[in-house]
Each structure stands twice: as structure tokens, then as C-alpha cells.
Amino acid sequence: MKSSAPGKIILFGEHAVVYGRPALAVPVTQVQVEVNVADSSNAGIWIHAPAVDMHAELSALPSDHPIGSVIHNLFSMLELPLPTRGLEINIESTIPVASGLGSGAAVSVALTRALAMHVERSLSDEQVNNLVYEIEKLYHGTPSGIDNTVITYAKPVYFIKGKPGETFKVGKPFTIIIGDTGIPAPTKQSVADVRRAWLKDTNGFESMFNEIAQIALIARRSIESGRPDMLGELMDHNHALLQRMTVSCSELDALVNAAREAGALGAKLSGGGRGGNMIALVNPEDAEKVAQAVLSAGAKKTLTTEVS
Ligand code: PMV
């Protein structure tokens, strides 16, 4: 049985989303995780994930291992014993690991669905999402839940913590360049730093979060009503607020500035910050030029994706 799941980017609202404000995220289908589950004549449940050099039998994994936990949690939710026959689980991924593109959540989603199909059980998207949220806690500590939601539904999502994500329509497709600083994104760390700063200056941070909430709301309306050109300015504004929250870094700022100078309509960091990715809104005819400029400014790689 085979299942795949896309990567994701956060368009607006990272960090503020941890404090109850809305955020927007979209799937990135150019990168995918694919999980294959097959019966095997070898004993045990074997997991192969060449992208992270993993070849392990389930019982040899630590009890809080995210992949092992997906398997245990799924069978316990289905009220089934672990299979006694041999299983081979192959996880192939083109989503860069630890760069804010949601590779962990995508593995969990695809693995959950492939295993459920293998034991001939059907799961609702809501069940998949809830199960994967529990696994996200093992990766991130206190995740808002936006990654598992956008990847489970594989659609643009307007997300408020603690509520079911709202998927929404894209009135007119738009093009985003994703630039990877190549610096591993320590989401846990930046989330903890924002918490410390928020405790020190609660009023200042609350008012920044409120501005970001407005940005996310206007952005959703612009996307739905087919006015994606309005997103550029909103991205620039959101980036300035993230800089004030101290979650940008010189490498991200360099890529953001290079994108704007090369003709992007707007740019910002995406995700936890301090590394990981930035995104830029471009007219399709400028995509190549902007991607080249982002690479020249130090990006390790770029991806171009159409949000539709
Ligand atoms: O670094 P990413 O793409 O996993 O995103 C983190 C987003 C935050 O808002 C900073 C944290 C969260 O859990 O939503």
C-alpha cells in the first residue's frame, strides 16, 4: 500500500499563531514523502528511510521515536494488535529535513494512511490530523498544529490553534519562490525565545501579534478574491514584524532583500526563523530572475511553487 504527502510553507502568521492568532499555510506539492507498506517474509516490522539513513526494526526504536510512535499510536487507535507477520515500510522523501517544509508531519501523514490502508481500515482526515498532531509534539514540544493540518488536508489552510483548520479556495493562482538558507531551523528555540521576550514585553508583543492577525485576515481575503498581487506588501509588513520579534537573521534578511531587489512583489521568512526558508511572491515571468538572485545572495537551493 502506498500513500504520499506534500511539503508545506507558512505564508503568514508564524509565531503569532502560537498565541491564538490566525496563520495561513499552503501545501508545496513539488516535494513529497511517499510511504510504501508491504508484507514481508522477514520477521518484524522494518522501517527504511534512506533520506535519514534509517534502517531499523520497530522494537529496536526508542519509545518516543516519532516514526515508531506513529505505528504504535495508530494500532492503539484502531484497537488492533501490532501485526505479527513481517512488514517492510519504505519511506522516500524529497522534502528537505529540518528546514521548515514540514518533512516530519508529511512522513507521519503518509505513514499513517499507508498503514491504515494496509490493514484495510479507513481513517477520516480528522483522525489522521489528530494522530499526527500528537506525533508533532514529539518533534517540536508545543506545536500550534498548523503543519499537520495543512499537510493532512493538502489544501490552503486558515488556521487558529485549538480549532479545526479552515481550508479555503485560491481565486487566482500565484507563484512563490522558496529560498533555503541551508541553516537548520531550530523552531523549538525560536518559539522559546519569543516566549521569553513576550513575558518581558507582553503589551509590545501582543500588539505585534494583533497586527499579524490583521495581515493574515486580509491575506486570506486577497487570496480568495483573486487579488494575490496584494500579498507582496503584506509579506513585507509581516517580515518587518518578525524582525522586531528577533526571529529573523542576517542570512534570511539577505535573501529577502535580494528577492525584493530582483523584482519580487514582497518577501518574508517562513516558519520558525533564524534559518530555514524564506518565501517571495513573484510574477511568473520574474521567477527565474528572482530565484537566481536569491541563490547569489547565499541560498543553498530554491524551489518555485504555484499556489492554486
Ligand atoms: O518552522 P516551521 O515551519 O515548523 O513552523 C513553525 C511555526 C511556528 O509558528 C513558529 C511554531 C508553530 O508551532 O506554529
Side-chain angles (χ1 to χ4, degrees):
M1 287 297 159
K2 201 195 284 191
S3 183
S4 56
K8 72 99 212 336
I9 46 170
I10 296 180
L11 288 182
F12 295 98
E14 50 276 272
H15 286 289
V17 70
V18 175
Y19 297 80
R21 274 46 168 214
L24 302 188
V26 294
V28 176
T29 49
Q30 283 80 0
V31 285
Q32 295 270 338
V33 165
E34 189 180 287
V35 175
N36 272 286
V37 178
D39 287 329
S40 157
S41 50
N42 296 326
I45 299 178
W46 282 89
I47 303 141
H48 306 285
V52 290
D53 205 16
M54 177 181 179
H55 301 278
E57 205 280 314
L58 177 64
S59 56
L61 295 176
S63 63
D64 61 349
H65 192 284
I67 291 179
S69 301
V70 168
I71 302 171
H72 286 294
N73 291 9
L74 174 68
F75 281 93
S76 117
M77 191 181 91
L78 295 173
E79 297 179 351
L80 288 175
L82 281 176
T84 45
R85 59 182 194 268
L87 274 190
E88 291 280 336
I89 299 173
N90 279 295
I91 304 174
E92 298 281 346
S93 179
T94 54
I95 308 179
V97 177
S99 70
L101 289 180
S103 68
V107 167
S108 301
V109 168
L111 176 57
T112 300
R113 289 194 173 129
L115 272 173
M117 277 192 278
H118 192 77
V119 294
E120 297 178 351
R121 292 292 184 95
S122 68
L123 293 178
S124 66
D125 287 343
E126 195 186 345
Q127 283 174 307
V128 173
N129 195 24
N130 290 340
L131 198 143
V132 176
Y133 180 52
E134 292 307 310
I135 307 300
E136 285 291 284
K137 292 181 186 165
L138 300 175
Y139 284 108
H140 289 309
T142 54
S144 62
I146 191 167
D147 279 23
N148 45 285
T149 304
V150 63
I151 291 171
T152 298
Y153 292 92
K155 291 200 175 112
V157 165
Y158 177 86
F159 180 82
I160 298 176
K161 190 176 168 182
K163 297 194 181 168
E166 292 173 36
T167 58
F168 64 94
K169 291 247 164 352
V170 176
K172 184 178 164 203
F174 54 96
T175 306
I176 297 279
I177 304 280
I178 305 168
D180 187 354
T181 58
I183 304 168
T187 298
K188 225 174 180 168
Q189 184 67 42
S190 64
V191 168
D193 290 350
V194 169
R195 174 138 326 247
R196 264 190 295 277
W198 171 78
L199 284 170
K200 256 197 178 153
D201 176 18
T202 308
N203 287 342
F205 271 72
E206 285 292 317
S207 82
M208 286 194 273
F209 295 155
N210 287 340
E211 268 185 73
I212 292 174
Q214 285 304 314
I215 291 173
L217 257 176
I218 300 169
R220 176 183 174 169
R221 279 196 219 117
S222 310
I223 295 172
E224 285 181 316
S225 62
R227 292 292 314 276
D229 48 301
M230 291 176 66
L231 300 178
E233 205 176 310
L234 296 170
M235 280 185 178
D236 289 345
H237 188 180
N238 197 162
H239 186 70
L241 290 162
L242 288 161
Q243 283 176 314
R244 273 172 57 197
M245 287 159 57
T246 77
V247 294
S248 193
C249 61
S250 56
E251 293 86 349
L252 278 166
D253 288 342
L255 305 191
V256 163
N257 290 335
R260 289 176 187 154
E261 277 161 25
L265 303 170
K268 65 183 277 292
L269 71 83
S270 174
R274 305 261 174 84
N277 289 288
M278 52 72 69
I279 55 175
L281 176 74
V282 296
N283 288 320
E285 61 274 22
D286 295 331
E288 188 52 42
K289 191 175 63 175
V290 173
Q292 279 308 325
V294 168
L295 283 169
S296 303
K300 296 293 169 287
K301 51 182 172 302
T302 60
L303 265 176
T304 304
T305 187
E306 192 190 67
V307 180
S308 57

